[in-house]
Amino acid sequence: MIKLIGQRAIASVLSLLGLMVLVFFLSRLTGDPAVLFLPIDASEAMKAQFRALHGLDAPLIEQFGRYVLDLLQFDFGDSLRKARPAIDVVMEAYAWTLPLALITLCLVVVAAVVLGSLAAFNVGGFFDRMVSIVSLIGASAPDFWIAIVAIVLFSINLGWLPTSGVGTPLHWVLPIAVLFIRPFGLIVQVVRGSMLSALSAPYVKTARAKGVKNLPIIFIHTLRNAMLPVITVIGDQAAAMLNGAVIVETIFGFPGIGKLMIDSILQRDFNVVLAAIMVTAVAIFIMNMLIDVAYGLLDPRIRH
């Protein structure tokens, strides 16, 4: 297991280095921040002063070298828009995104595993058909369409929930509900398919022949062996949520990392963009490590 984690760690560090180079140079292709931040009638002298103040007048290679040296000291520079350390701005946004992602992911995993397992156990029945139809609709529906329909129905027509913001617990309901639907649809289908395969295994038939009840067969004897492909999909969906679920956060005005990245890209706030991407990449790297550990715990063959 330690060897496996070490190999994954080396591969992840190399990926982070490649990502750092790619993001730095691509962000510089989006335009000149001096044009965006200064008034339209700003003189060339004012623009030159702005570039010199933020180190944007140096050759690109020199800027990159300075960025790498600062990064080694965990210094991501200051936000051009907010005049504060970029890492502080990013961590404030993550303080909103993390609870949103964790609450949604926990609800998705519990609901999808329970309903997908029961659907597989009652394959071909009414409950199985209903779960399959609902999950297919959920997996196919685009997030922006679900969000717009939810706002029109629950906020505008019924007036039950606010359309945007984060002032009260009710503000979290629609973003969580919209983020829930698509991963739920995908994971339910994977759980159902994996459980169907596991339920046909000889050890399940033996358990049934010995008179073991249905629920222990599903959730004790079968579920563990069916979880490997499910964990892979859960990891993918968790990574998407850690990226901030950009569309959902933007539509609902949720001040998370996804909305911050969109705003920072549009405003050429390079330091915030770079800090947000690097922090997100590290978070996804840690999550992938946890998934690898989970693989090893569920299947001893992977540890070797």
Side-chain angles (χ1 to χ4, degrees):
M1 178 61 78
I2 294 176
K3 182 180 178 182
L4 174 66
I5 293 175
Q7 291 172 341
R8 298 291 189 193
I10 293 172
S12 298
V13 169
L14 294 175
S15 300
L16 284 176
L17 291 175
L19 180 66
M20 181 179 67
V21 175
L22 188 65
V23 170
F24 179 86
F25 287 102
L26 285 180
S27 66
R28 288 324 194 250
L29 296 177
T30 59
D32 184 359
V35 176
L36 183 69
F37 278 90
L38 297 179
I40 297 177
D41 56 350
S43 65
E44 286 302 320
M46 292 173 64
K47 293 177 182 177
Q49 186 181 15
F50 180 90
R51 296 186 190 104
L53 178 65
H54 297 285
L56 299 171
D57 56 343
L60 206 53
I61 294 297
E62 184 181 331
Q63 291 183 44
F64 179 69
R66 195 185 309 137
Y67 171 71
V68 172
L69 291 175
D70 290 341
L71 203 58
L72 292 175
Q73 305 172 51
F74 299 101
D75 181 3
F76 289 87
D78 290 339
S79 165
L80 298 179
R81 186 163 54 105
K82 299 189 176 183
R84 297 172 49 211
I87 189 64
D88 291 350
V89 176
V90 169
M91 296 313 292
E92 284 177 7
Y94 255 109
W96 291 104
T97 293
L98 276 180
L100 178 70
L102 286 175
I103 293 171
T104 307
L105 191 63
C106 289
L107 294 174
V108 166
V109 171
V110 171
V113 169
V114 172
L115 294 181
S117 300
L118 294 176
F121 195 76
N122 297 281
V123 62
F126 175 77
F127 182 78
D128 178 36
R129 288 199 292 272
M130 288 302 297
V131 169
S132 298
I133 291 172
V134 171
S135 64
L136 280 173
I137 293 173
S140 306
D143 287 342
F144 72 88
W145 181 80
I146 299 173
I148 292 171
V149 170
I151 289 174
V152 171
L153 180 60
F154 294 105
S155 300
I156 297 176
N157 290 341
L158 298 175
W160 291 350
L161 298 169
T163 55
S164 64
V166 289
T168 68
L170 288 179
H171 286 88
W172 291 66
V173 175
L174 284 183
I176 289 175
V178 173
L179 275 180
F180 174 92
I181 292 174
R182 190 175 174 80
F184 169 77
L186 291 171
I187 295 173
V188 159
Q189 293 178 47
V190 176
V191 171
R192 181 182 175 277
S194 187
M195 284 293 288
L196 280 176
S197 175
L199 285 170
S200 62
Y203 68 88
V204 175
K205 295 176 182 176
T206 303
R208 281 175 168 158
K210 290 181 177 179
V212 178
K213 303 286 186 186
N214 290 339
L215 288 181
I217 286 178
I218 297 173
F219 294 110
I220 297 177
H221 294 274
T222 312
L223 188 57
R224 175 174 175 167
N225 294 323
M227 282 302 288
L228 282 181
V230 178
I231 286 176
T232 303
V233 179
I234 290 174
D236 290 342
Q237 297 306 310
M241 290 182 189
L242 283 176
N243 277 328
V246 176
I247 294 174
V248 173
E249 287 189 355
T250 302
I251 290 177
F252 289 105
F254 199 87
I257 195 69
K259 186 174 185 302
L260 176 67
M261 278 200 275
I262 292 293
D263 292 343
S264 300
I265 290 170
L266 292 176
Q267 295 166 348
R268 317 296 201 269
D269 200 344
F270 294 150
N271 290 337
V272 173
V273 173
L274 292 167
I277 291 176
M278 293 307 295
V279 172
T280 301
V282 171
I284 292 175
F285 154 68
I286 294 173
M287 188 187 62
N288 285 332
M289 292 290 290
L290 294 176
I291 290 173
D292 288 338
V293 171
Y295 280 159
L297 294 175
L298 287 173
D299 189 346
R301 292 172 298 181
I302 295 177
R303 295 200 291 266
H304 305 290

